[in-house]
Amino acid sequence: MNDEPVMATNDDASECKRGAVQLGYWQDNYISLFAKQIQRKAPEIHRGYYARVKGVETFIHKFLKKAGESAQIINLGSGFDTLYWRLKDEGVRITNFIEIDFPSVTARKCYIIKRNKQLLEKIYEQDGEVKLSSTDLHAGTYHCIGADLRNISELETKFQQAEINFSSPTLFIAECVLVYIENDCVNRLLSWIATKFKSALFVNYEMCNINDTFGDVMLGNLRARGCTLAGVAACKNLETQQNRFLNSNWQGSKAWDMVEVYYALPTTERQRIEKLEFLDEQELLIQLFQHYCICIGWLGTEFAEIDINDR
Ligand SMILES: C[S@@+](CC[C@H](N)C(=O)[O-])C[C@H]1O[C@@H](n2cnc3c(N)ncnc32)[C@H](O)[C@@H]1O
């Protein structure tokens, strides 16, 4: 199987995020260390990324509020995500932070981290042991590991090396990742998590409502770049997204399309970013938002009440 086009989607995501950050959509002091500058994208792309990043962040903070300092975060298909450093800057303390992606992607990430003092100084803790290989980095509470999410036994070994704690309240994040993975493999991964963890929240951002012309165009664009969308069946609608969790022994699941997520973000922030660039086609943005969603799944009762509309 050729996973190269799927890995390349990480460059796309990080470059688009860098572009939006540069225009002032949100603050990220680290993304420019990972992603190169690209030609300016359309305003609706920037707003789409804004809703994605801020929507996921909203759930991260709801999780952290409930979980406290014993929290553990596991970012699946993390690519060049900068969440670890952003949370450090906010003064958030957690017990463990694990990032997983294909070894070729983590090798690039480890290389960039090793060469940047700004990134390094945030992961080295005093007197902490640092273990490095070409694809994996373990330092203090931060772990970046190369593994294929379709291979559970490899994941188990790598998780052990990352000192995973099955009894800590754990947040799993998958941002535009599961759509690239065969449904059988996603179900196996979700079921494995459900047998191992007692208290967990899973935040999944990806496509939904794909069975229309707009969806066809979106999928066609990805396929044209060589990406097999092996997990696309679960993106049919919000219900199929939720069923993925419910059928894999998770206790509960909820989902919101990005129209709802966007309008649940703080009004003042929304008004601020809407002034950054003139948007010609409001209709196009709404269509884009209708085709993406955030779906959560939970294990244990602690995270059952989480809702995007709660203040
Ligand atoms: C669209 S990118 C998103 C990256 C990051 N989550 C973000 O939103 O910025 C998808 C990522 O998922 C990773 N990925 C896809 N399938 C994977 C698999 N089977 N195992 C590990 N990583 C995978 C890709 O390598 C890529 O980095």
Side-chain angles (χ1 to χ4, degrees), residues 19-79:
V21 164
Q22 217 160 351
L23 291 167
Y25 279 84
W26 69 94
Q27 200 186 341
D28 184 334
N29 298 329
Y30 306 98
I31 192 69
S32 60
L33 301 174
F34 288 105
K36 67 176 191 303
Q37 179 147 11
I38 50 162
Q39 235 182 357
R40 191 173 172 145
K41 296 273 179 189
E44 49 274 8
I45 302 289
H46 296 140
R47 284 199 200 177
Y49 271 95
Y50 170 79
R52 163 175 168 173
V53 169
K54 287 293 155 184
V56 170
E57 223 173 78
T58 303
F59 285 99
I60 294 171
H61 283 105
K62 286 179 192 289
F63 164 82
L64 288 171
K65 205 166 151 195
K66 285 183 185 281
E69 289 191 9
S70 62
Q72 179 170 246
I73 296 182
I74 302 180
N75 194 345
L76 306 169
S78 54

Side-chain angles (χ1 to χ4, degrees), residues 123-169:
I123 61 168
Y124 284 119
E125 291 183 8
Q126 242 179 357
D127 304 327
E129 197 191 348
V130 176
K131 288 192 211 134
L132 278 170
S133 73
S134 58
T135 62
D136 296 11
L137 191 160
H138 301 278
T141 53
Y142 176 77
H143 306 268
C144 179
I145 54 182
D148 186 335
L149 293 166
R150 296 168 293 196
N151 184 340
I152 303 284
S153 60
E154 183 190 21
L155 267 185
E156 278 192 313
T157 312
K158 292 278 181 153
F159 275 151
Q160 267 170 15
Q161 292 165 5
E163 293 167 355
I164 197 170
N165 186 341
F166 293 111
S167 35
S168 290

Side-chain angles (χ1 to χ4, degrees), residues 12 71 115 161 206 220 253:
D12 228 38
R115 285 168 54 100
Q161 292 165 5
E206 70 180 345
S253 176

Side-chain angles (χ1 to χ4, degrees), residues 222-233:
L222 280 166
R223 288 198 179 106
R225 294 165 45 181
C227 287
T228 46
L229 300 167
V232 80

